Amino acid sequence: MTSPAQHTRRAVVTGAFALAAGSALSLLPAGRARAAAPAAAAGPEIVSCAGWGARAASESVVVLSNRPERIIVHHTATLNVTDYSQQRAYALARAIQTYHMDAQGWIDTGQHFTVSRGAYVMEGRHSSLAELRTGKRQVRAAHCVGQNTVSIGIENEGTYMTEEPPAAQFAKLADLCAYICDQYGLSASEIYGHRDFNSTSCPGDRLYALLPSLRKQVAARLGTSLTEPASDPFQDLIDEAAAHALSPYPEYLPERLLR
């Protein structure tokens, strides 16, 4: 069992690395019509673990009987590269799994899904895609302390403290979130950033600022209205203070693990 410190995974990344360029239908809540969400019904193309060349998990992945309650958005805190190729995306997925298993000591990739800067969507932890397609259960993950049994974690390639993600990547993130919401019967308002739950800079200031837009785009894809959570000024102050106590565990992928 991993410690909370291991699971708190991000801080502002000051280093840089170069990534080696190698190598459905769901159960919906009563009264909700699938026809109302044509953009979300099919979902984006998602490359399975086998498709990008994942290694086997070190032990059995746990499939929980419950559906997730929310989606949590992350960034990988890696370089904002302009290599948008499929080859790059698959190499990223393998590097993340190597780092999470060999450096963090986890059984598999920590998050459920990854969206590359080139807008490729990949399964992260094994069985996440199969469970998403059924819409009944979720895989226990390791992407956010206190939320790993009740949320779906999505990594977005890049560091978004001062830059925004490429338009295609952000659009694909919205497609993926809409599909997850559709499959699990979630509201678009249930999309959060990692920093909403842990003391971390993730998913970066600029991507975090885009979350209201992301919720609106997801709601539009679902054909539903969006009600933003009411702001709590006292909690906002607490969150702002906590954001400065960043985790000493960065999310960057050491270059030595990518060779």
Side-chain angles (χ1 to χ4, degrees):
M1 182 174 182
T2 54
S3 67
Q6 285 179 296
H7 288 288
T8 304
R9 307 176 302 151
R10 289 174 188 72
V12 179
V13 175
T14 56
F17 81 101
L19 187 63
S23 75
L25 295 178
S26 68
L27 294 179
L28 294 175
R32 180 173 175 181
R34 178 173 295 279
E45 179 180 356
I46 302 175
V47 180
S48 68
C49 288
W52 55 261
R55 37 196 282 211
S58 62
E59 59 185 71
S60 297
V61 168
V62 176
V63 178
L64 305 167
S65 61
N66 58 289
R67 298 179 184 180
E69 299 173 5
R70 60 190 59 89
I71 295 170
I72 298 180
V73 174
H74 304 264
H75 69 177
T76 60
T78 54
L79 289 177
N80 293 335
V81 298
T82 55
D83 181 352
Y84 296 159
S85 68
Q86 182 186 75
Q87 183 181 37
R88 161 77 190 194
Y90 290 7
L92 172 75
R94 290 191 295 271
I96 290 174
Q97 186 187 42
T98 295
Y99 179 58
H100 287 180
M101 293 181 70
D102 296 353
Q104 298 285 54
W106 301 344
I107 67 169
D108 197 0
T109 300
Q111 74 279 1
H112 296 90
F113 301 100
T114 305
V115 184
S116 76
R117 281 177 59 83
Y120 288 94
V121 181
M122 296 159 289
E123 179 181 30
R125 181 156 292 201
H126 284 80
S127 298
S128 297
L129 180 55
E131 296 305 327
L132 172 60
R133 285 173 172 164
T134 65
K136 298 178 181 179
R137 306 181 301 180
Q138 72 169 104
V139 170
R140 187 176 70 191
H143 63 94
C144 181
V145 177
Q147 295 295 313
N148 291 314
T149 61
V150 292
S151 69
I152 295 295
I154 303 174
E155 287 277 8
N156 295 274
E157 180 187 14
T159 300
Y160 299 118
M161 292 299 295
T162 60
E163 297 181 39
E164 293 185 356
Q169 181 185 26
F170 190 73
K172 195 56 64 74
L173 172 62
D175 290 342
L176 176 60
C177 287
Y179 183 55
I180 293 170
C181 287
D182 195 46
Q183 290 297 96
Y184 286 122
L186 298 176
S187 166
S189 63
E190 293 298 331
I191 298 174
Y192 300 89
H194 187 187
R195 64 174 64 179
D196 288 322
F197 301 96
N198 298 159
S199 294
T200 173
S201 63
C202 181
D205 292 348
R206 298 298 291 273
L207 180 52
Y208 186 75
L210 287 173
L211 292 188
S213 175
L214 177 62
R215 296 182 191 109
K216 291 178 181 177
Q217 291 189 31
V218 170
R221 284 164 169 76
L222 294 170
T224 60
S225 59
L226 176 65
T227 302
E228 287 285 353
S231 176
D232 181 343
F234 293 103
Q235 186 61 47
D236 289 347
L237 290 173
I238 294 173
D239 292 341
E240 182 178 356
H244 296 293
L246 301 178
S247 164
Y249 293 88
E251 178 59 10
Y252 75 96
L253 308 175
E255 184 177 358
R256 62 183 174 78
L257 296 179
L258 307 176
R259 294 174 179 170

